């Protein structure tokens, strides 16, 4: 059996390879010692057994159980379609995300309205297996397909005066029927500081589980920011705006005392109405003794992102 990942040398650093070897060896150890320890991601085992090239990124969760696709695609937050978790899968069924245009504006060298397929053509496609932690204290582990956001930003060439990037979801009540109701101030908006957006982990998903993104998960393109609460991961994006001012983000606009701009996953800072110290992993078998799992600072991605917030009081900038 081959448990050492066979990465292309240009794609990874020596350190990446060592880390992955460790993880794969750990994998092998767990396999050898039966089911006593929590099971590794069967996808990693499968890939290793079939001698497939694993996803050699140190932050890819090869050893964590991936949430079953049926949960990730039927337990959703997408207020443009429904406020119920099972609503978007039913009510977005007939939404047609093709063709799709994205407007690029603000402090950028390449403003314009682009056909999505042309805008992202040729950007390096990859799979990222990320934890996804909602501010409501549930979580999943999802294999996304897409590209790192920094590739797109580099293509658009923001001016050096751009300090933030803002995103907007489609506003079209005829296609997103819940927008007929004033549930939130439409369109849904989100934003990142430019250094956050350029971080290797910030991702634009166009697919999940190796398939095009389902409508209920934000087709045809959405943001995925794995170290932040899920509401930052805006769906069905039609506008990208580069700016020197902190952009409005919908949940902060709705309830500023409850939802911040940064929204970094932080077990030490509770939501005013519930604890953020632990979470419920959707679809996972709950143990009688431990039905919840501990929430990790930055959702477990601190080694890649904590530096972005050096010197900041994360209670104040929550
Ligand atoms: N984007 C838009 N446009 N509308 C939304 O209601 N909900 C957010 C985020 N992006 C939302 C959105 C919230 S609160 C979460 S937790 C995630 O999407 C849920 O993503 P999922 O349904 O793919 O799990």
């Amino acid at each position: 059996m081959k448990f050492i990942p066979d990465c292309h040398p240009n794609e990874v650093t020596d350190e990446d390879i060592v880390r992955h070897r460790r993880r794969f060896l750990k994998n092998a150890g767990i396999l050898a010692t039966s089911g006593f320890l929590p099971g590794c991601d069967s996808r990693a085992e499968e890939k290793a057994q079939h001698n497939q090239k694993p996803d050699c990124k140190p932050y890819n969760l090869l050893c964590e159980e991936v949430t079953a696709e049926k949960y990730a695609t039927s337990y959703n937050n997408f207020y443009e379609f429904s406020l119920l978790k099972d609503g978007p899968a039913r009510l977005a069924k007939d939404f047609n995300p093709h063709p799709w245009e994205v407007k690029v504006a603000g402090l950028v060298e390449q403003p314009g309205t682009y056909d999505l397929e042309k805008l992202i053509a040729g950007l390096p496609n990859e799979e990222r297996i990320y934890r996804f932690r909602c501010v409501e204290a549930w979580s999943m582990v999802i294999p996304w397909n897409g590209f790192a956001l920094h590739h797109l930003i580099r293509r658009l060439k923001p001016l050096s005066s751009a300090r933030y990037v803002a995103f907007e979801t489609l506003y079209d009540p005829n296609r997103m029927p819940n927008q007929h109701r004033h549930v939130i101030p439409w369109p849904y908006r989100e934003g990142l500081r430019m250094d956050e957006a350029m971080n290797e982990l910030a991702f634009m998903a166009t697919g999940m589980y190796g398939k095009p993104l389902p409508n209920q998960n934000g087709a045809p393109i959405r943001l995925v920011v794995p170290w932040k609460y899920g509401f930052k991961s805006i769906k069905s994006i039609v506008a990208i705006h580069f700016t020197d001012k902190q952009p409005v983000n919908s949940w902060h606009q709705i309830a500023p005392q409850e939802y911040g701009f940064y929204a970094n996953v932080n077990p030490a800072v509770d939501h005013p109405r519930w604890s953020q110290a632990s979470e419920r992993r959707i679809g996972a078998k709950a143990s009688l003794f431990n039905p919840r799992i501990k929430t990790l600072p930055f959702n477990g991605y601190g080694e890649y992102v904590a530096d972005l917030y050096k010197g900041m009081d994360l209670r104040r900038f929550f």
Side-chain angles (χ1 to χ4, degrees), residues 72 75-80 132 134-136 138 140 142 144 169 188 208 216-217 222 230-236 251:
Y75 187 92
N76 298 105
N77 278 339
F78 203 171
Y79 279 17
E80 285 82 343
F132 188 86
C134 178
V135 74
E136 298 162 345
W138 53 263
M140 301 193 192
I142 298 183
W144 302 103
T169 295
Y188 194 97
M208 61 200 287
Q216 63 269 31
N217 294 91
R222 72 175 292 173
F231 67 81
K232 296 296 289 183
S233 294
I234 180 172
K235 298 176 169 183
S236 306
W251 280 103

Side-chain angles (χ1 to χ4, degrees), residues 45 156 166:
E45 292 162 24
L156 298 174

